[in-house]
Amino acid sequence: MIELWYGIVALLLAAYVVLDGFDLGAGALHRWIAHDDRERRAVLGAIGPFWDGNEVCLLAAGGALFAAFPTALASGLSGFALAIFLVLWSLILRGIAIEFRSHVGDPLWRAAWDAIFCGASTLLPVLLGAALGNVLRGVPLDEHGWFDLPLFTDFSASPPVGVLDWYSVLTGVFALVALAAHGAAFLAWRAAEPVHERARRVAAVLRLATGALWVAATAATAHVNPTIFHHLRDRPLAWLATAAALAAFVLSVVAGGRGRERLAFVGSCAFLGGLLAATAASLYPMLLRGVGVGARSLDAENASSPRHGLAVALGWFAVGLPFAVAWFVVQFRLHRPREPVAPEGEGY
Amino acid sequence: MDALHDAVFWHRLQFAFTLVFHYLFPPLTMGLAPLIVALKWASLRRGGDAGLDAAARFWVRIFGINFAVGVVTGIPMEFQFGTNWAGFARYAGPVVGHTLGMEGLFAFFLESSFLGVLLFGEKRLSRRGHLAAAVALFVGSWLSGYFIIATNAFMQHPVGHAVGADGRLELVDFSAFVLNKWALLQYAHNMTAAVVLASFVVAAVGAWYALQRRHDGAARIFLRCGTTAGLAASLLVIVPTGDLQAKMVARHQPVALAAMEGRFTSGARAGITLIGQPNVAERRLDNPVEVPAMLSFLAYGTFHADVAGLDAFPPNDWPDNVELLYYAFHVMAGLGTLMVVLMAAGCWCSWRRTLPKRRPLLWALLLSFPLPYIATTAGWMTAELGRQPWVVYGLLRTADASSPSVHTGTVVFTLIGFCGLYLLLGLFFLFLIGREIAHGPEETP
């Protein structure tokens, strides 16, 4: 039961990264690959119908964490409080930018919201990647399972650590580049010309950068927290997921090179999903690793809700998930790739 | 001065601020959704009515702007359970995590998927398809409301739980928890209040156009729709939903009822206070204007019933802000009554087709749109202040619920940040809504 809930939380987080990842990546790129208002509306039109639903995955993952591992949610959110608020403010500004931008035709109005949209979409992947970096590196939990991290200290990854140090900034940059490549793959598939063509070229470059940073981030993780790789021998799931991620990465590079944009995007999704699955499989059962003297770690066992509650939650989750998936399918079928930019006043 | 050095005070202030600001938006979303469905359905039944379609399209645009602000201000609330109230999250998470998780899965996915379809899909879908999108938004937003109310109801009146061996709560009876009687009544009260709020907004825009003598057709539809739904809902808010809710408070939170009424001494034939100023230091209500024996009747169904005053409870268990609770309740109840009168007058004239000519009444309808916003906020303040000093009633005190590792400096910093951000958000929201209303329903801006 506990394994299952660990898997569900990981699945929802991975769904969040894969789905919101493409609109975050598209947002981070949008000022650079869409130059005039029409092109920017092509980008917004491609992600507009999806961003809110994608973001709901984060709330759903949070809800699952709340129901299944409330102790980890409580410690994590309060320990990272300041960073969490930065994430929240970015999410607020970004959502409003997407929804408000095209209501007014004035170029200054639009330029301002475009800058906010792009800035928030750049900051968010860095913060989310840094959050994952903190989970991998470990946090100074006290004997009651609480911790309090400043945003930064001296940027060395040894105590006293902050949320941001060289390692978590590296994972943050990796996340930004990987999601930008993902967003570019999405735009190459879905956005109208000429954004489509430009996204194609950018995606090719970003994929190479993603590959290089993947190697760097893995090496850095082995340096900062070697224990993660200790269990690898008896974790076939971690091996399989890593192999799948590698295969998907190659697929996205090859398909992207041949102009098979949808396939390249699917490869990009599978790459991110495989990467996160491998991470979750090697971390299990850890939720928040304690580092430092007398640290107490929070794992799936000591941070979980009682069994009966988990079983009940499994019931409603099994009922709700097919509906959620169905809404996504309806969404993707209603909006076709490379639809022309909507007339003023209709659409994003 | 002590309070200002207490982290819990700042956590409460921040949560109250972000929550009150957030809840300015969902009531309009939840209240407009059924009205939009009704307009679109009426048009469909007539085989397509240009006036009704334009009216629906106009409110969909308002809905979209309002919904966006509701969504983005709602996201922090979900996280603040952890950042501000980690003690609560750890203690009650095994129970309330269920409703919060279900809200995401059942409501948010539905709403977010069909919002774009409702906003921009009118041309690409059939009439029925577009109506279905409106229904999806209606169902999604009302489901979302239920899960949040069920969460709050557990905090007000915990059921279906047990205290585990480790001292934390655990879920024992899922259906008792989800179908908490408190949740059902509070939901009915809250949702009718949302319809009241939306009706006032719709009627106010209708009155504005009628006063300006433009958009005549739309003005008539808005006034008719707003006052009819408004009268029905503002009556339902009081009887039966508000009345039953008050009886429930009397039974399960008698100390909150005593504070809401500013009742310091217990006794039979308790009167209901219309106006007066609670003087907590002296333990009395100054300058009271009362209806004798009415409180006994409303709370317990007989004029002779004993109603406990605050003196029946240890001060330690009193709501910690008696004055604010008392005024919040009285503001809500007073405005609730006034709103029935306004809507009754509006509805009467609207059905007699004399409303567009009655300019004083139109002015009153126009200027009264803030009233349901104030009443709704005051109503939630009543519920939440009345729950104090508990975060989970009778089980966990608010003082023990905040995040132990988050210090005051962080909370004050982020509170200031939220103030600035929400001020900007509010200004942009008003600007865009004002623009839509100035454009009016016929032409698309």
Side-chain angles (χ1 to χ4, degrees):
Chain A
M1 186 60 76
I2 284 190
E3 295 87 335
L4 200 55
W5 272 103
Y6 194 90
I8 289 174
V9 171
L11 176 80
L12 288 170
L13 278 174
Y16 171 70
V17 172
V18 167
L19 291 169
D20 212 29
F22 74 68
D23 63 68
L24 285 167
L29 292 174
H30 124 292
R31 263 164 66 87
W32 319 113
I33 63 173
H35 300 140
D36 60 19
D37 184 57
R38 204 183 151 69
E39 292 172 17
R40 288 185 181 172
R41 290 198 64 216
V43 173
L44 285 167
I47 63 167
F50 304 110
W51 78 270
D52 189 12
N54 295 345
E55 210 168 285
V56 170
C57 291
L58 181 64
L59 296 179
L65 196 64
F66 206 161
F69 306 109
T71 306
L73 175 115
S75 296
L77 289 184
S78 59
F80 295 128
L82 198 51
I84 296 288
F85 281 109
L86 292 182
V87 168
L88 293 173
W89 293 343
S90 306
L91 287 173
I92 291 174
L93 284 169
R94 184 171 176 275
I96 284 302
I98 298 172
E99 294 295 327
F100 280 7
R101 176 203 188 270
S102 295
H103 275 281
V104 178
D106 187 90
L108 286 182
W109 170 274
R110 291 192 169 182
W113 288 117
D114 284 346
I116 288 172
F117 173 54
C118 192
S121 302
T122 308
L123 187 59
L124 276 165
V126 175
L127 288 170
L128 296 169
L132 184 61
N134 276 270
V135 171
L136 291 169
R137 182 201 60 212
V139 289
L141 288 159
D142 65 17
E143 68 270 33
H144 304 291
W146 301 112
F147 70 99
D148 171 30
L149 275 189
L151 210 48
F152 55 85
T153 51
D154 55 1
F155 288 93
S156 75
S158 45
V161 288
V163 172
L164 299 176
D165 56 31
W166 70 264
Y167 172 69
S168 61
V169 170
L170 175 67
T171 54
V173 171
F174 175 45
L176 174 62
V177 173
L179 293 188
H182 189 50
F186 179 79
L187 290 178
W189 170 37
R190 309 273 305 192
E193 289 292 5
V195 175
H196 150 72
E197 189 50 40
R198 248 178 253 144
R200 253 179 61 92
R201 270 178 278 143
V202 171
V205 177
L206 285 171
R207 277 189 196 111
L208 294 182
T210 304
L213 279 166
W214 183 16
V215 175
T218 309
T221 305
H223 174 73
V224 169
N225 177 10
T227 60
I228 287 186
F229 298 101
H230 285 175
H231 307 293
L232 270 191
R233 204 171 303 166
D234 42 288
R235 297 272 168 89
L237 193 58
W239 280 112
L240 281 174
T242 309
L246 192 61
F249 182 73
V250 173
L251 172 72
S252 73
V253 171
V254 173
R258 296 192 182 163
R260 310 262 314 264
E261 305 307 343
R262 191 170 64 171
L263 195 61
F265 178 68
V266 169
S268 183
C269 291
F271 165 64
L272 293 172
L275 208 56
L276 289 163
T279 309
S282 12
L283 269 178
Y284 181 83
M286 199 56 75
L287 286 163
L288 275 175
R289 174 169 171 263
V291 290
V293 188
R296 179 195 140 179
S297 295
L298 293 177
D299 59 33
E301 196 62 49
N302 67 20
S304 80
S305 288
R307 295 293 187 282
H308 175 68
L310 293 179
V312 168
L314 200 59
W316 56 254
F317 185 78
V319 173
L321 187 66
F323 284 103
V325 172
W327 308 141
F328 268 98
V329 173
V330 169
Q331 242 339 50
F332 267 87
R333 292 184 65 92
L334 273 173
H335 299 88
R336 296 265 150 222
R338 294 186 207 153
E339 278 173 6
V341 178
E344 274 297 320
E346 300 174 21
Y348 291 89
Chain B
M1 273 312 283
D2 273 356
L4 297 180
H5 297 284
D6 178 9
V8 176
F9 167 81
W10 291 100
H11 281 299
R12 283 180 67 179
L13 188 63
Q14 180 177 67
F15 200 78
F17 172 71
T18 51
L19 188 53
V20 165
F21 187 83
H22 168 60
Y23 202 68
L24 295 174
F25 303 95
L28 186 61
T29 297
M30 297 186 297
L32 264 185
L35 298 183
I36 290 171
V37 168
L39 287 171
K40 293 190 75 70
W41 188 67
S43 167
L44 188 72
R45 271 179 54 117
R46 289 166 202 191
D49 178 299
L52 288 171
D53 280 343
R57 208 172 296 131
F58 172 78
W59 287 109
V60 164
R61 289 184 70 85
I62 303 279
F63 180 93
I65 297 167
N66 184 73
F67 187 90
V69 182
V71 166
V72 298
T73 55
I75 294 169
M77 307 314 312
E78 202 102 352
F79 286 83
Q80 281 175 278
F81 284 118
T83 53
N84 299 65
W85 303 108
F88 166 74
R90 193 185 258 204
Y91 176 79
V95 180
V96 299
H98 288 270
T99 34
L100 293 170
M102 285 161 77
E103 185 188 26
L105 200 59
F106 289 95
F108 290 159
F109 277 120
L110 181 63
E111 283 179 296
S112 59
S113 298
F114 288 94
L115 177 68
V117 181
L118 180 67
L119 293 184
F120 304 120
E122 197 176 355
K123 283 189 182 160
R124 74 173 76 210
L125 289 173
S126 66
R127 284 177 172 282
R128 278 174 198 285
H130 201 235
L131 174 62
V135 172
L137 260 294
F138 172 28
V139 173
S141 60
W142 280 53
L143 269 179
S144 162
Y146 187 75
F147 289 122
I148 285 300
I149 297 258
T151 308
N152 184 257
F154 181 80
M155 295 159 69
Q156 299 280 359
H157 177 54
V159 289
H161 67 285
V163 181
D166 58 355
R168 296 186 305 151
L169 296 183
E170 54 185 84
L171 185 67
V172 176
D173 186 342
F174 178 69
S175 59
F177 162 59
V178 173
L179 300 175
N180 188 346
K181 183 185 69 182
W182 194 294
L184 299 172
L185 284 177
Q186 195 176 356
Y187 183 65
H189 187 55
N190 187 69
M191 298 320 273
T192 42
V195 177
V196 172
L197 185 140
S199 305
F200 264 86
V201 171
V202 171
V205 175
W208 172 241
Y209 292 151
L211 285 168
Q212 288 186 317
R213 296 200 175 84
R214 59 191 196 112
H215 304 303
D216 289 340
R220 230 173 297 121
I221 294 171
F222 293 175
L223 285 168
R224 172 71 58 91
C225 172
T227 55
T228 309
L231 178 60
S234 56
L235 285 169
L236 289 173
V237 160
I238 299 177
V239 184
T241 66
D243 174 54
L244 290 172
Q245 173 114 11
K247 288 186 163 67
M248 200 165 54
V249 170
R251 170 177 301 193
H252 297 292
Q253 296 183 352
V255 60
L257 183 77
M260 279 154 64
E261 278 296 335
R263 186 173 168 76
F264 288 94
T265 37
S266 309
R269 295 186 64 80
I272 203 162
T273 313
L274 300 179
I275 297 180
Q277 297 78 36
N279 183 338
V280 179
E282 304 283 330
R283 309 272 154 107
R284 62 157 197 263
L285 196 67
D286 289 340
N287 318 310
V289 179
E290 298 193 332
V291 183
M294 203 58 190
L295 182 61
S296 291
F297 176 72
L298 287 175
Y300 298 107
T302 122
F303 291 105
H304 301 285
D306 257 317
V307 178
L310 285 168
D311 62 355
F313 307 93
N316 200 20
D317 288 346
W318 291 11
D320 54 9
N321 196 334
V322 172
E323 296 90 342
L324 194 57
L325 172 56
Y326 168 89
Y327 288 118
F329 175 65
H330 282 77
V331 165
M332 173 191 75
L335 289 180
T337 314
L338 178 60
M339 290 191 288
V340 171
V341 174
L342 274 166
M343 277 300 174
C347 193
W348 172 256
C349 296
S350 170
W351 283 95
R352 295 191 50 188
R353 299 178 191 285
T354 58
L355 186 50
K357 281 170 271 168
R358 297 193 182 251
R359 296 181 73 82
L361 186 53
L362 290 174
W363 272 107
L365 286 174
L366 169 63
L367 295 177
S368 62
F369 83 87
L371 302 184
Y373 281 95
I374 298 168
T376 302
T377 304
W380 271 107
M381 285 171 67
T382 307
E384 299 303 275
L385 289 165
R387 196 192 65 227
Q388 303 299 335
W390 305 97
V391 66
V392 184
Y393 211 78
L395 292 170
L396 182 68
R397 283 180 185 265
T398 309
D400 302 324
S402 68
S403 305
S405 64
V406 180
H407 55 85
T408 311
T410 303
V411 189
V412 178
F413 176 77
T414 51
L415 173 62
I416 293 169
F418 271 115
C419 288
L421 187 59
Y422 282 5
L423 177 67
L424 277 178
L425 214 57
L427 291 174
F428 284 126
F429 170 79
L430 289 176
F431 166 68
L432 285 181
I433 291 286
R435 225 168 140 268
E436 293 295 336
I437 292 175
H439 272 286
E442 260 92 20
E443 56 276 274
T444 27

